[in-house]
């Protein structure tokens, strides 16, 4: 089970931190991704934290602004979002897959319910 929290309304240039709480599985065996979907657009993977840190991934569109951190002991994953832009408005999902990052969105079999992030003055 994956449960996101921390979404909300923020002004452009502001920051938010999303949390993803995992339960029911050994999170240290799983790669955790953050996928977003803006209204009228396809889902977009913004980050994947691999079981192998060297194979983690951050999308160019958020690189330098977003950072993902995992705390396996607490079974939590965070997405720190800074310098937010209007185009970052979306529902953000955390997703999990056993082993390495899947390299494609449909490679995640486990999904949270999503958290709305709205960037608007």
């Amino acid at each position: 089970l994956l449960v996101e929290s921390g979404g909300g309304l923020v002004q452009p240039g502001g920051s938010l931190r999303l949390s993803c709480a995992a339960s029911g599985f050994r999170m240290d065996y799983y790669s955790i991704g953050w996928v977003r979907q803006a209204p009228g657009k396809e889902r977009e993977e913004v980050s994947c934290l691999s079981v192998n840190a060297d194979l983690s991934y951050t999308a160019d569109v958020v690189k330098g602004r977003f950072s993902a951190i995992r705390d396996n002991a607490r079974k939590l994953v965070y997405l720190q979002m800074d310098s937010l832009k209007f185009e970052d408005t979306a529902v953000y999902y955390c997703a999990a897959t056993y082993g390495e990052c899947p390299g494609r969105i449909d490679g995640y079999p486990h999904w949270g319910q999503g958290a709305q992030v709205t960037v608007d003055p």
Side-chain angles (χ1 to χ4, degrees):
L1 180 65
L2 299 169
V3 179
E4 299 96 338
S5 60
L9 174 65
V10 63
Q11 292 184 343
S15 297
L16 277 177
R17 187 176 75 165
L18 300 179
S19 299
C20 175
S23 61
F25 62 96
R26 282 283 302 268
M27 201 180 82
D28 52 338
Y29 291 167
Y30 284 71
S31 292
I32 308 294
W34 286 96
V35 176
R36 68 185 183 184
Q37 186 165 26
K41 295 188 177 180
E42 295 187 353
R43 292 178 298 173
E44 175 184 36
E45 184 182 34
V46 297
S47 172
C48 181
L49 284 173
S50 176
V51 292
N52 181 344
D54 291 340
L55 298 179
S56 292
Y57 162 83
T58 302
D60 287 342
V61 69
V62 301
K63 196 168 289 185
R65 300 188 298 119
F66 290 14
S67 58
I69 305 165
R70 64 191 297 161
D71 183 338
N72 288 337
R74 291 188 171 88
K75 304 185 79 171
L76 289 168
V77 178
Y78 304 99
L79 182 67
Q80 178 66 41
M81 303 183 292
D82 299 319
S83 302
L84 282 160
K85 303 176 181 180
F86 175 77
E87 52 264 39
D88 295 319
T89 296
V91 178
Y92 285 73
Y93 300 89
C94 64
T97 188
Y98 184 82
E100 301 293 350
C101 293
R104 64 188 195 280
I105 291 174
D106 63 4
Y108 292 104
H110 309 290
W111 291 78
Q113 85 286 357
Q116 176 70 47
V117 172
T118 302
V119 184
D120 190 83

